[in-house]
Amino acid sequence: MKAFQLTAWGQPPEFREVAVPEPGPGQVLVKVAASGACHSDLHLMEWPAGMLPWPLPFTLGHETTGWVAALGAGVKGLEIGAPVAVYGPWGCGTCRSCRLGMENYCERSAEQPAAGGGLGYHGGMAEYMIVPSARLLVPLGDLDPVAAAPLGDAALTPYHAIKRALPLMTPGSTTAVIGVGGLGHMAVQILREVSATKVIAIDTDPAKLRLACDLGASRAVLADGDAAEQVRQATDGRGADVVLDFVGADATIALGAKVIRPQGQLTVVGIALGNFTFNFFSLPYEVALATTYWGSSVELLEVLELARAGRIKAHVETFALADAAEAYALLREGKISGRAVMVPNLVTSQLARPAARELQTVGAPRD
Ligand SMILES: NC(=O)c1ccc[n+]([C@@H]2O[C@H](COP(=O)([O-])OP(=O)(O)OC[C@H]3O[C@@H](n4cnc5c(N)ncnc54)[C@H](O)[C@@H]3O)[C@@H](O)[C@H]2O)c1
Ligand SMILES: [Zn+2]
Ligand SMILES: [Zn+2]
């Protein structure tokens, strides 16, 4: 099978011919239905050697759905053909955090060779992937596996960041969502469904802002020099109770710090590795500044319930797996609306975006 792999740090990924893997004891072989392209993959492609301790090559794709294809020795409780979502952060499985379902915060993460499928282990941008344990699979039920792929990260990550801030999201409160792309467009919907907060969407791209307003944001602010003032005006001068920064650049953290109100929560989810100088006066009193990483497997169940009830829905642009490089190029250029999802067996004529596929500048490898 063809797998879209990161083969060298600082280099574009490439398609490599690999054998269909066989599940070892305790493992599960999943036939991939779809795997989403996350902006974190773009960071991975750019970061230099030494930044992450993972072995190369590995297949990209860390938000993946599919069907159980084969069971390794000793695996019980899964039926062949059952549709599943892969829970993405793979911890040791036995520490306290892992037992609580929070493998994203595994206490032994430093001892693990990698962080998850598509993050050091082989992920979902191939026809099949190995999942090391049945505990990392969640039943999809009747959800469309292609539309459900982004739920495992683009929805789960904001869901976790929102859940921990819920006590502040009372009627009359405001939440500023900075960056309404893959994660942010899900955040806007989750906020609409689980809280009473008013959402201000902030982005550099008017098209992303339009989508955010369609999905429930009550106000759109273009991220320019005037953005902080506009958020202040929209909150009667008080500022936002919660800021969710899905970019994490110098400029967005600085904007968040300018608009957060005293006792608010400023959460940085984006991994642009921006810096922020912290001192006694750099934030209003009692502001809690935090990063968050992904979410728990229990929260993934909750996200799937929201989707099953029709209350949240990823806006997906579907690509054949063979066009993965093109999809990532479009993501880098800011031209993906919602989330790009790679589908291994999609034929070209089924693609949703013929215009985008005709871009000559991208130079995607094709198999
Ligand atoms: N912490 C985690 O667990 C976690 C999980 C997944 C992704 N991420 C990170 O979250 C970030 C977003 O990922 P994504 O897949 O949603 O990316 P995306 O490319 O789909 O969306 C990013 C959005 O931010 C907007 N943007 C860019 N610069 C901006 C600026 N200066 N001000 C306002 N808006 C700006 C873009 O127009 C786009 O709409 C990435 O850094 C990614 O690595 C973190
Ligand atoms: Zn991701
Ligand atoms: Zn653990």
Side-chain angles (χ1 to χ4, degrees):
M1 65 176 187
K2 289 271 195 291
F4 193 57
Q5 296 194 329
L6 197 65
T7 56
W9 295 110
Q11 297 295 319
E14 40 185 277
F15 279 99
R16 294 183 69 225
E17 187 67 36
V18 298
V20 174
E22 294 208 3
Q27 299 182 334
V28 180
L29 181 70
V30 171
K31 183 172 168 59
V32 173
S35 193
C38 179
H39 204 110
S40 297
D41 296 329
L42 298 180
H43 298 317
L44 284 183
M45 293 171 200
E46 281 153 17
W47 286 342
M51 182 111 173
L52 290 163
W54 307 334
L56 294 177
F58 64 86
T59 306
L60 289 168
H62 59 262
E63 51 175 38
T64 304
T65 54
W67 301 273
V68 174
L71 303 178
V75 179
K76 298 216 163 44
L78 283 176
E79 268 178 42
I80 302 294
V84 286
V86 179
Y87 174 62
W90 298 350
C92 72
T94 55
C95 75
R96 188 170 186 277
S97 290
C98 285
R99 282 176 189 278
L100 290 169
M102 296 187 291
E103 304 214 12
N104 49 327
Y105 297 145
C106 171
E107 291 166 10
R108 298 200 191 100
S109 61
E111 296 157 38
Q112 307 301 312
L119 300 168
Y121 299 107
H122 295 307
M125 301 236 172
E127 254 179 89
Y128 292 90
M129 77 179 277
I130 291 285
V131 175
S133 167
R135 77 170 195 281
L136 300 166
L137 292 172
V138 171
L140 263 191
D142 55 5
L143 281 173
D144 168 7
V146 174
L151 299 176
D153 179 13
L156 175 57
T157 300
Y159 183 80
H160 171 72
I162 289 164
K163 206 173 162 184
R164 63 188 288 284
L166 273 179
L168 292 183
M169 295 175 175
T170 52
S173 70
T174 305
T175 298
V177 178
I178 307 178
V180 283
L183 271 63
H185 93 288
M186 295 309 302
V188 170
Q189 298 178 61
I190 295 164
L191 288 164
R192 182 194 68 203
E193 293 300 324
V194 306
S195 85
T197 201
K198 184 175 87 174
V199 176
I200 301 181
I202 305 172
D203 204 292
T204 45
D205 180 351
K208 307 282 165 59
L209 290 173
R210 277 195 295 276
L211 177 62
C213 289
D214 288 347
L215 297 175
S218 59
R219 182 137 184 175
V221 169
L222 203 57
D224 56 18
D226 198 24
E229 187 47 38
Q230 286 195 50
V231 174
R232 292 233 152 258
Q233 274 174 14
T235 55
D236 297 328
R238 278 209 308 271
D241 300 72
V242 178
V243 173
L244 302 171
D245 179 356
F246 294 106
V247 182
D250 287 354
T252 56
I253 302 175
L255 174 61
K258 268 193 205 154
V259 302
I260 193 75
R261 72 150 167 78
Q263 299 182 302
Q265 276 195 29
L266 171 51
T267 305
V268 178
V269 182
I271 317 183
L273 301 182
N275 286 300
F276 176 70
T277 304
F278 180 75
N279 64 39
F280 192 88
F281 294 114
S282 56
L283 286 168
Y285 295 122
E286 296 191 30
V287 166
L289 172 62
T291 55
T292 60
Y293 176 62
W294 227 326
S296 72
S297 55
V298 177
E299 288 166 336
L300 178 56
L301 292 173
E302 294 169 5
V303 163
L304 294 181
E305 285 300 336
L306 276 177
R308 211 166 279 129
R311 294 170 62 184
I312 59 170
K313 192 170 185 210
H315 191 97
V316 296
E317 294 200 29
T318 310
F319 292 80
L321 176 61
D323 294 325
E326 183 176 327
Y328 278 110
L330 290 168
L331 180 64
R332 184 177 279 113
E333 292 165 21
K335 291 183 180 155
I336 297 293
S337 177
R339 200 63 147 179
V341 163
M342 256 45 75
V343 178
N345 292 310
L346 193 70
V347 295
T348 303
S349 61
Q350 289 176 303
L351 285 172
R353 272 179 73 137
R357 286 177 32 71
E358 278 152 28
L359 284 182
Q360 295 301 303
T361 50
V362 174
R366 282 164 196 276
D367 60 355

